[in-house]
Amino acid sequence: MSSPYVPGPPTDQPVTISRTALSLLALVDVSLTARRVLDVLLALQDPETGAADISQAEMSAALGAGKPAVNRGFKELRECGLAWGLKRGRYQLHPLLTGGRIATAVMAVPEIKATDPDRFTQQRRTRFAAQVANLAQSA
């Protein structure tokens, strides 16, 4: 799905995310656009550092979304601690999502802000229970 405006992944090796990370992602409330931004960052992450190189214009092209929506997606990921900017066009994914890999050892890693399941709406509780059940079946 690469175009001349969207970088390809640094490797074709599969990305592995632990069940712990997947369980935590089920508790993080972000918009669909933010989740799609996260998915692209995960696909583009460097297997050595867990960082991804992509400009916001390239992300907009990859998602077929406007720059304001993509900017909000990046902001949501930063605010909840899943990814943050290292420099223009370079983003660090939380080490929980990268198997502990991080671009630099001196960087402070933010806490991931997840929602307490007890505060979910009934609809969200039903979805959460289904997500947890799916994880248990995959084990």
Side-chain angles (χ1 to χ4, degrees), residues 42-61:
L42 285 166
L44 294 178
Q45 72 172 293
D46 182 298
E48 301 297 318
T49 65
D53 296 311
I54 187 168
S55 71
Q56 290 187 2
E58 291 168 333
M59 182 65 77
S60 293

Side-chain angles (χ1 to χ4, degrees), residues 23-24 26-27 115 117 120 122-134:
S23 295
L24 183 61
L27 299 175
T115 303
F120 286 170
Q122 186 56 45
Q123 178 183 13
R124 182 66 196 265
R125 284 177 214 250
T126 302
R127 254 191 344 212
F128 175 71
Q131 289 168 325
V132 170
N134 284 338

Side-chain angles (χ1 to χ4, degrees), residues 55-102:
S55 71
Q56 290 187 2
E58 291 168 333
M59 182 65 77
S60 293
L63 298 179
K67 286 184 185 180
V70 168
N71 288 340
R72 283 190 303 275
F74 277 117
K75 181 180 178 188
E76 284 182 59
L77 295 178
R78 183 181 68 248
E79 287 175 349
C80 70
L82 292 174
W84 55 92
L86 295 173
K87 63 180 184 178
R88 190 175 190 92
R90 185 165 178 81
Y91 299 89
Q92 178 67 55
L93 290 154
H94 194 283
L96 184 64
L97 302 176
T98 65
R101 294 178 302 278
I102 196 157

